[in-house]
Amino acid sequence: MKKFDIIIIGGGHAGIEAAWISDQMGLKVALVSMTGVPLASTPCNPAVGGVGKGQVVREVDALGGLMGKIADLSAIQYRTLNESKGHAVRSTRVQVDKEKYSENAEKIIASSNVEVIREKVSKVYKKESMFHVELGKKGLKASKVIVTTGTFLNGVVHTGEEQSSGGRIGQMASDGLQDLFLSIKTAPTRFKTGTPPRLDRETIDFSKLEPQESDPKTQNFHVLDNLYHRELEQVPCYLTRTNNETLSIIRDNKERSPIFNGQIKGVGPRYCPSIEDKAFRYPERNSHHVFIEPEGLNIPTIYPNGISTSLPKDAQEDFIQTINGLEKAKILVYGYAVEYDVVDTINLSKTLEYKDIPGLYFAGQVNGTSGYEEAAGQGIIAGINASLAFLNRGPLVLERTNSYIGVMVEDLVSNRRDEPYRLFTARAENRLFIREDNTTNRIHQYRKLLGLNSELDQFQTQYMAEYIQLDKYCEKFIFKSNDETKGYFKKMEYGPLDDNVTLSQLLKRSKLDPVATLKNEVEGFLFPVVQAVAISKKYEGYINRANLENQKLVKLGKKKIDWEKIVNSASISNECKQRIKDIRPETFSQAQRIKGIRPATLAFIAGGI
Amino acid sequence: MIYLNDGLPIIACSTGTTSNTAIAKIRIGGFENLDALTPFFSKNLLNLRPNEARLLEIMHEGKVFDEVVAIFFKGPNSFNGENILELDVHGNQVNVQRIIDLFIDNKICRLSYPGEFTYRALTNKKMNLSQVEGLDVLINSHSNFAFDQGMATLRGELNEKYKLLLHYFIKLKASLELSIDFLEDVGEESAKKEFAASFSDFNNLISSLYQRTRGNVENLMTPTITLIGQTNAGKSSFFNQLLLNNRSIVSDYAGTTRDYVSEGLSIKNTDFKLIDTAGIRETFDHIEKMGIERSFELGKRAFFKILVVNPFETNPDDFHLLKDLEFDFVIFTHSDLVGMVEKRDQLLKNPNFPNHYNNLSLSLGPIGPDESISGPMGPGKNISGPMGPDKNTSGPIGPIIEELKNSIYSKFTELCEKDPILVDRHRRVLEGIYIKTQEFQVVTDSLDDLGIISSELNLIENDIQELLGIISPDDVLASIFSNFCIGK
């Protein structure tokens, strides 16, 4: 039986982050992954980032994680989403070559001391303070285990009437974990997720479709690279739409859809509906976007984003061929839905450790989240905290006020969900501050606590020194005006240019592009620093105003409440009582965030404080 | 928090402690069970079934205090969620006090603070904040209208409107989030449409609620009529004429000050507050000047303003003092005197004559043989002048007074038709939400930055929570319970 400091079960996006950071922190790491499955595979859409998620990728990168680096090495298209909607809600998304993505992940992990073990786990159990992981005849043990098994927990795959057990098409479920999971509380509802059929690139008529090109102005994820470096050739995605005919085929096949005929009981995410959901829930709409995304440069498959389905194969073929440009499209892999169990995350602490079984951590989709980015974010947090615990050091918890990872972890451990969890910017109360552009500024303090000294740490030290210097400069520097600049300001409607305007005040002007303005005025600073300082200045007033207004609420939010007393009160509805009992909120703000809690109940709780 | 939440049993007389009545109601609330109270009654209270009246004697150590009817309301089904024992006792105040003392002296309960029974209803969630406010309106109302709104609020109807406002707000917020997080899925156009539609729902509702806070509504809880005029115009006599048969039974208004006199005037079951103000004129007397300023302030705030003018003793040079007021009525006195009509018309032609909607002329003679008019007076004024001679009255005064009262009443009902919101806090918060909503519209029209737009939208959310009583109940409670006294 081979002994490790930490064993990670599952080689997906959460698993590799956990393994990598634990290795960086000097632990002896085993990463157990299924045979025949590449590391960090992307079984759903071939893209990394997106609104809210791009922020997470950058946070993982700033903590020293892999996702940003691998995404950059594998990217075949860059886009900035919400570009015209203001700096705070902008996010980066890249399309990746899924083959290259796994290759790059394998390569980077191979360059570390992580021992990758390709075996199926047959049993996991805890004996005294050690976890034993049996792999057929072999065995491993460690005092820390991180489980990152995705959708493989009691997974069932559905394509029409066909069903098979497994977490993905063609892959077995990880039943070796059953013993361990007998002692783990799972969420009361099973979750469901699905994918669309994959199409043969050669059979699509691209001339009919609207192309969406890669944006050369979008910045890379990984901070140590050249900002606009492109490793691979950049290719377009295409846009097409479903129509009346598509939707009537789907509606005619309602009885054959596992989601609507009762075969699937799991709850799918409302934000990522299958085409069946769209057809039946929104009967008044007869057209939906379909994004035609290449899965790689040399891969024949196309991912038609927006039409995930679990209809029978013949129905899939029929409806696909009604779509503009896809009339002759051939399906290479049929769409399917997968149903799976997830861990009831209210039993986890903010370090993602299972409270009742010290040393055992969970991260990724097994925790009921959806998305590679959410998985990576949890993976690195679990990895860091398991390592810190192994080293007898204090935990690292990211705050929800300054990171999306913090938002996600707190949401996960403080509330029970009834659908897969995905990050939205709407989940963050502090959206004007938690932006992509200032990620280093927000995260460096956490990275510093790991006590490492890599190129990343040196970069962050330099970045912060420049940031502080430039920030001060903006406050003090008086903008020199002359008749020409005054005239220009008038013409551009930038507001009056008085003699005593500081740079900082100028950057707040609504019509003025803060980044271009500051870049014009200063020299010798890293561009990301200029960008972050300029945008921070622009939002400063709004953030302060919001903070001021929220003070009352924040003050109330921090007040401790006695949930047991509330639950015992005769005055509130049984439904609210049950929700409070499940979540056990300790503060008013936690109570406030409980899903489905009624205003009257909150008023009652507030009244009792 | 204003009350120590000590959870001790409390006692109070709910029917008032100022006068003797046939029956008075004493409430004891918050006791664990009836066991502790049994030693003070002639029968074992454990046999008392909830919600049933029972004839008992209050007795202690062999002495009978009173014969009473007792009703037991068992918590949590009582009005405030606690066990309550109601005692209908003989309403002599000496008796009431004796009984209350009996329970306090024997340490069974302590004296309730004003409003504490209701406060406990709030903390036990038997009522929400706006219901308590509704109760306040109901108990302190002076009109059918206020009573109805108090009842509606108590029944939670207004609160339903506020909840709808929250619902629209959440939809609006969701539509904005939709255009941030799901723009690709829904497309720019339909996101914009969704946002515009939900903003319009929200804006329409808050605008209509806001309209209900507008106008002269702050006085509707206690609608006020002021008599304003120059010295010796006949205000005081007119004041008495108006009150002659309609002095309201309840007249609990704050007492006389040096500057003005007020009385309750009842018209068709609605209590108005009639104020006779100090005569307005240019003066160098410091004290008098202050009185005049106060008269003027009162005049401005009143929902119904009457200018009283004696055509024979009017100084047109002082009209400018009243130029900012709009009068509902001008009453010209001394219509019985020769030459009055000419004098009156001459004044009305004066371009500086105060703004007004109607005018009436009348004489101010005493009506009945036994009526003696010795009305209240302004500071330092004597009343020898303005009383009209009792001869030569030009027609009956009754119909004129009636006309005026009808006019007052119809203006009041007109204001009430818009269903104005009577609770101060609601008006204040609704105004805040309305103003922020208008500011928000300006921001959305001028900026494309959705981060900023959503941050500005969040500012409205706090106010809506305040409206529903979710946040900042402390100061709200403090102000409610310091204002009214119920349950005691």
Side-chain angles (χ1 to χ4, degrees):
Chain A
M1 181 153 290
K2 199 165 173 187
K3 194 173 167 228
F4 287 89
D5 296 339
I6 183 166
I7 300 168
I8 290 141
I9 304 174
H13 301 276
I16 63 163
E17 295 292 352
W20 169 261
I21 199 75
S22 303
D23 176 61
Q24 293 280 301
M25 294 177 71
L27 273 70
K28 192 174 176 210
V29 185
L31 176 61
V32 185
S33 179
M34 281 188 161
T35 49
V37 186
L39 292 182
S41 58
T42 47
C44 199
N45 62 328
V48 169
V51 180
K53 295 164 173 254
Q55 281 89 329
V56 172
V57 179
R58 292 189 192 278
E59 288 172 10
V60 169
D61 192 60
L63 286 169
L66 295 179
M67 181 166 252
K69 209 181 292 177
I70 300 174
D72 282 343
L73 289 172
S74 323
I76 54 176
Q77 179 181 92
Y78 280 83
R79 291 194 68 198
T80 303
L81 305 176
N82 282 339
E83 184 152 29
S84 64
K85 306 290 170 199
H87 300 280
V89 297
R90 271 180 206 169
S91 291
T92 307
R93 187 181 62 202
V94 300
Q95 299 298 135
V96 298
D97 181 317
K98 58 190 294 180
E99 226 170 50
K100 291 267 182 335
Y101 198 93
S102 286
E103 271 173 36
N104 286 316
E106 300 266 1
K107 235 186 264 174
I108 292 176
I109 293 292
S111 74
S112 71
N113 297 317
V114 173
E115 188 166 329
V116 180
I117 299 165
R118 306 261 180 195
E119 291 277 357
K120 193 165 157 28
V121 173
S122 51
K123 199 173 184 183
V124 180
Y125 59 94
K126 192 175 187 186
K127 206 170 148 191
E128 282 142 20
S129 65
M130 296 299 271
F131 292 93
H132 294 249
V133 178
E134 289 182 7
L135 313 160
K137 286 171 196 154
K138 277 187 283 181
L140 316 172
K141 63 176 182 179
S143 62
K144 309 286 172 205
V145 166
I146 304 180
V147 177
T148 64
T149 50
T151 57
F152 286 84
L153 183 56
N154 294 325
V156 175
V157 171
H158 304 255
T159 310
E161 297 81 9
E162 297 173 24
Q163 290 183 47
S164 58
S165 87
R168 250 174 251 163
I169 203 85
Q171 288 160 14
M172 306 254 285
S174 36
D175 41 348
L177 293 168
Q178 293 314 331
D179 289 348
L180 177 68
F181 276 110
L182 284 180
S183 50
I184 297 295
K185 291 183 188 108
T186 53
T189 38
R190 272 163 80 73
F191 283 0
K192 177 224 111 185
T193 186
T195 75
R198 305 304 202 275
L199 309 177
D200 183 348
R201 180 206 298 263
E202 300 303 324
T203 60
I204 294 174
D205 185 356
F206 289 101
S207 67
K208 288 180 163 177
L209 307 179
E210 199 181 307
Q212 293 183 318
E213 301 290 342
S214 181
D215 182 356
K217 297 190 304 299
T218 300
Q219 291 171 14
N220 284 357
F221 280 123
H222 185 46
V223 287
L224 298 181
D225 276 342
N226 174 314
L227 286 182
Y228 306 101
H229 175 75
R230 301 291 184 256
E231 183 74 18
L232 300 176
E233 181 198 342
Q234 301 293 295
V235 296
C237 293
Y238 295 86
L239 180 61
T240 183
R241 289 173 183 84
T242 60
N243 51 45
N244 262 333
E245 211 187 325
T246 322
L247 293 165
S248 19
I249 292 176
I250 292 160
R251 288 174 184 140
D252 290 345
N253 280 287
K254 185 169 187 176
E255 281 313 306
R256 302 175 70 201
S257 163
I259 305 177
F260 284 91
N261 67 12
Q263 186 178 322
I264 291 181
K265 304 219 164 43
V267 181
R270 278 169 307 173
Y271 47 80
C272 187
S274 64
I275 191 68
E276 293 98 297
D277 282 321
K278 292 180 188 172
F280 295 115
R281 300 236 166 97
Y282 309 99
E284 72 290 352
R285 287 191 67 176
N286 46 34
S287 176
H288 306 92
H289 288 162
V290 182
F291 297 91
I292 302 297
E293 304 174 355
E295 293 204 298
L297 294 175
N298 305 310
I299 303 176
T301 49
I302 290 290
Y303 184 96
N305 195 346
I307 48 171
S308 89
T309 179
S310 53
L311 281 171
K313 294 174 178 172
D314 59 304
Q316 294 191 20
E317 274 160 11
D318 288 350
F319 87 72
I320 288 283
Q321 294 186 346
T322 62
I323 298 172
N324 183 36
L326 308 184
E327 292 85 351
K328 294 184 178 147
K330 199 177 138 207
I331 296 178
L332 294 178
V333 184
Y334 288 93
Y336 61 91
V338 52
E339 256 189 309
Y340 53 98
D341 276 335
V342 299
V343 173
D344 191 353
T345 47
I346 59 177
N347 298 303
L348 302 181
S349 71
K350 283 188 185 176
T351 61
L352 298 178
E353 185 174 24
Y354 195 83
K355 285 181 201 162
D356 293 341
I357 308 179
L360 179 63
Y361 296 75
F362 289 91
Q365 204 163 5
V366 70
N367 281 343
T369 59
S370 85
Y372 314 137
E373 305 81 1
E374 285 85 346
Q378 292 168 65
I380 197 163
I381 293 301
I384 288 171
N385 279 294
S387 302
L388 288 170
F390 180 84
L391 300 168
N392 287 320
R393 287 161 57 186
L396 178 78
V397 173
L398 274 59
E399 295 293 327
R400 74 180 295 130
T401 50
N402 57 25
S403 66
Y404 276 100
I405 293 179
V407 170
M408 169 174 65
V409 171
E410 189 177 276
D411 284 352
L412 284 178
V413 305
S414 64
N415 214 336
R416 178 179 281 158
R417 289 155 319 285
D418 41 25
E419 68 179 330
Y421 179 94
R422 178 186 138 180
L423 268 174
F424 311 120
T425 67
R427 296 195 193 272
E429 293 78 5
N430 220 358
R431 181 159 54 192
L432 286 181
F433 178 64
I434 316 183
R435 308 185 307 268
E436 276 199 13
D437 65 78
N438 64 349
T439 308
T440 302
N441 184 27
R442 294 188 283 114
I443 303 297
H444 77 98
Q445 46 170 331
Y446 298 122
R447 167 72 188 181
K448 214 170 169 180
L449 291 175
L450 303 189
L452 299 174
N453 186 18
S454 69
E455 204 187 333
L456 178 69
D457 298 285
Q458 288 155 24
F459 166 81
Q460 291 187 351
T461 307
Q462 187 202 342
Y463 177 104
M464 284 316 296
E466 288 191 18
Y467 189 101
I468 291 161
Q469 197 190 345
L470 185 56
D471 185 77
K472 274 190 192 150
Y473 181 76
C474 288
E475 293 302 323
K476 284 190 190 147
F477 183 82
I478 306 280
F479 193 76
K480 298 279 187 301
S481 64
N482 53 37
D483 287 349
E484 195 191 328
T485 50
K486 278 183 182 170
Y488 182 73
F489 262 63
K490 205 170 171 193
K491 193 179 120 207
M492 300 299 287
E493 296 180 2
Y494 287 163
L497 189 56
D498 303 328
D499 288 337
N500 286 322
V501 177
T502 64
L503 206 44
S504 171
Q505 287 166 331
L506 210 55
L507 296 172
K508 293 182 173 61
R509 301 275 171 93
S510 66
K511 298 248 156 133
L512 206 135
D513 177 351
V515 180
T517 307
L518 187 59
K519 190 166 174 261
N520 242 342
E521 294 301 321
V522 297
E523 248 174 55
F525 289 93
L526 289 165
F527 178 69
V529 171
V530 174
Q531 181 175 256
V533 169
I535 298 171
S536 302
K537 290 293 166 200
K538 179 175 178 66
Y539 285 135
E540 203 170 52
Y542 293 100
I543 294 173
N544 289 345
R545 189 164 126 95
N547 286 346
L548 202 69
E549 287 274 340
N550 284 331
Q551 247 166 22
K552 214 193 277 181
L553 209 57
V554 170
K555 223 170 98 191
L556 182 66
K558 282 186 183 155
K559 294 251 172 84
K560 292 258 181 282
I561 57 172
D562 182 348
W563 67 267
E564 280 174 315
K565 199 171 145 196
I566 294 165
V567 166
N568 285 326
S569 148
S571 316
I572 66 171
S573 72
N574 283 331
E575 195 190 330
C576 282
K577 265 185 204 175
Q578 193 51 50
R579 288 172 195 267
I580 292 170
K581 241 189 237 172
D582 284 346
I583 307 302
R584 306 174 180 192
E586 284 171 11
T587 63
F588 185 73
S589 76
Q590 278 173 9
Q592 240 179 339
R593 275 201 290 275
I594 293 176
K595 205 169 142 42
I597 197 133
R598 296 181 189 167
T601 303
L602 286 178
F604 169 64
I605 297 172
I609 287 178
Chain B
M1 193 66 32
I2 38 175
Y3 299 127
L4 180 69
N5 221 338
D6 57 8
L8 289 177
I10 49 177
I11 188 167
C13 176
S14 314
T15 45
T17 49
T18 46
S19 60
N20 290 342
T21 51
I23 294 171
K25 192 176 272 296
I26 291 177
R27 277 204 289 222
I28 304 175
F31 49 87
E32 198 114 323
N33 54 50
L34 288 168
D35 227 10
L37 299 178
T38 292
F40 300 90
F41 291 89
S42 54
K43 289 176 186 152
N44 188 346
L45 294 185
L46 291 175
N47 298 327
L48 214 55
R49 280 194 301 200
N51 306 340
E52 279 185 16
R54 196 76 186 276
L55 189 66
L56 298 166
E57 282 165 351
I58 296 180
M59 56 187 300
H60 189 56
E61 289 168 355
K63 180 181 166 192
V64 174
F65 278 65
D66 194 5
E67 193 178 49
V68 304
V69 175
I71 308 175
F72 173 48
F73 297 95
K74 194 168 165 42
N77 300 321
S78 67
F79 98 98
N80 72 0
E82 297 184 337
N83 286 332
I84 290 180
L85 185 67
E86 286 191 359
L87 305 172
D88 292 340
V89 305
H90 290 104
N92 180 308
Q93 287 303 325
V94 175
N95 182 44
V96 169
Q97 203 50 54
R98 211 166 61 137
I99 294 171
I100 289 177
D101 288 347
L102 171 71
F103 288 98
I104 292 175
D105 293 346
N106 284 289
K107 304 206 172 3
I108 297 302
C109 36
R110 65 167 169 77
L111 194 63
S112 150
Y113 294 108
E116 194 171 5
F117 278 90
T118 309
Y119 177 74
R120 290 185 174 192
L122 181 76
T123 57
N124 292 332
K125 222 189 121 196
K126 278 288 181 174
M127 288 185 187
N128 64 36
L129 186 58
S130 66
Q131 283 177 308
V132 172
E133 288 163 331
L135 189 60
D136 182 21
V137 168
L138 183 139
I139 291 192
N140 294 312
S141 64
H142 293 279
S143 66
N144 278 331
F145 166 70
F147 191 88
D148 287 347
Q149 186 170 100
M151 189 53 101
T153 314
L154 185 62
R155 292 164 58 96
E157 288 161 24
L158 201 54
N159 207 40
E160 287 303 314
K161 276 255 172 351
Y162 299 159
K163 278 199 218 154
L164 185 64
L165 190 69
L166 178 66
H167 172 72
Y168 283 154
F169 177 80
I170 288 169
K171 266 180 65 187
L172 173 61
K173 199 167 149 169
S175 77
L176 187 58
E177 301 305 343
L178 187 76
S179 34
I180 295 173
D181 283 326
F182 301 100
L183 193 64
E184 275 200 319
D185 308 60
V186 293
E188 185 100 21
E189 197 130 312
S190 61
K192 272 198 175 134
K193 228 197 253 166
E194 182 77 30
F195 179 75
S198 44
F199 181 75
S200 135
D201 279 348
F202 179 75
N203 196 28
N204 288 344
L205 182 56
I206 184 61
S207 299
S208 81
L209 286 168
Y210 174 70
Q211 283 314 316
R212 294 175 59 183
T213 69
R214 295 288 77 197
N216 235 326
V217 298
E218 57 265 38
N219 276 318
L220 285 188
M221 234 352 242
T222 325
T224 303
I225 304 158
T226 45
L227 302 184
I228 295 174
Q230 297 182 0
T231 42
N232 288 349
K235 295 186 300 296
S236 304
S237 315
F238 185 59
F239 180 84
N240 285 318
Q241 288 285 1
L242 276 173
L243 285 174
L244 219 46
N245 296 310
N246 298 94
R247 197 177 291 253
S248 55
I249 303 159
V250 186
S251 114
D252 55 354
Y253 300 120
T256 313
T257 74
R258 298 176 47 110
D259 319 310
Y260 67 88
V261 179
S262 74
E263 272 291 353
L265 171 67
S266 178
I267 307 174
K268 300 187 188 172
N269 286 329
T270 296
D271 285 347
F272 295 88
K273 180 176 180 178
L274 182 63
I275 298 183
D276 181 17
T277 63
I280 289 188
R281 63 166 183 182
E282 263 329 338
T283 177
F284 298 102
D285 179 318
H286 182 61
I287 302 284
E288 188 181 353
K289 201 167 189 164
M290 274 170 42
I292 290 173
E293 272 164 20
R294 256 191 291 268
S295 292
F296 195 75
E297 273 309 304
L298 280 171
K300 267 210 303 215
R301 286 208 305 267
F303 106 100
F304 202 93
K305 305 176 190 70
I306 300 171
L307 177 65
V308 184
V309 177
N310 174 354
F312 297 98
E313 283 191 44
T314 293
N315 181 0
D317 294 344
D318 287 348
F319 283 160
H320 73 274
L321 295 172
L322 299 172
K323 69 176 175 356
D324 292 336
L325 297 182
E326 271 186 3
F327 291 96
D328 297 275
F329 259 93
V330 179
I331 301 294
F332 289 101
T333 57
H334 301 84
S335 66
D336 50 328
L337 295 187
V338 179
M340 180 273 185
V341 174
E342 292 74 24
K343 287 266 185 203
R344 181 191 72 191
D345 292 350
Q346 203 182 333
L347 284 174
L348 283 171
K349 272 186 213 139
N350 187 322
N352 294 328
F353 192 80
N355 303 316
H356 61 279
Y357 295 104
N358 273 306
N359 70 74
L360 283 173
S361 303
L362 71 158
S363 71
L364 284 171
I367 289 174
D370 295 333
E371 293 293 339
S372 70
I373 301 180
S374 55
M377 50 185 115
K381 299 287 152 268
N382 67 58
I383 54 161
S384 59
M387 225 81 62
D390 53 359
K391 49 187 169 67
N392 290 338
T393 44
S394 66
I397 195 170
I400 293 176
I401 298 279
E402 268 325 293
E403 186 185 341
L404 187 63
K405 284 180 180 167
N406 285 336
S407 176
I408 291 169
Y409 189 72
S410 63
K411 180 170 185 187
F412 178 73
T413 22
E414 214 173 280
L415 279 173
C416 292
E417 264 165 19
K418 283 193 276 170
D419 201 9
I421 289 165
L422 297 179
V423 180
D424 280 342
R425 181 183 74 90
H426 296 192
R427 280 205 309 275
R428 179 176 54 73
V429 181
L430 285 169
E431 279 168 23
I433 297 172
Y434 177 78
I435 290 165
K436 282 182 181 164
T437 305
Q438 304 319 305
E439 286 171 2
F440 175 72
Q441 191 164 22
V442 173
V443 172
T444 54
D445 290 347
S446 64
L447 282 182
D448 294 329
D449 192 314
L450 293 186
I452 293 177
I453 290 175
S454 77
S455 171
E456 294 294 292
L457 186 62
N458 287 341
L459 300 182
I460 300 178
E461 187 170 10
N462 293 354
D463 286 14
I464 297 177
Q465 299 215 24
E466 196 174 332
L467 188 63
L468 283 167
I470 293 175
I471 58 171
S472 79
D474 284 22
D475 40 343
V476 176
L477 287 179
S479 86
I480 291 179
F481 288 98
S482 63
N483 274 340
F484 78 124
C485 173
I486 48 182
K488 191 177 179 221

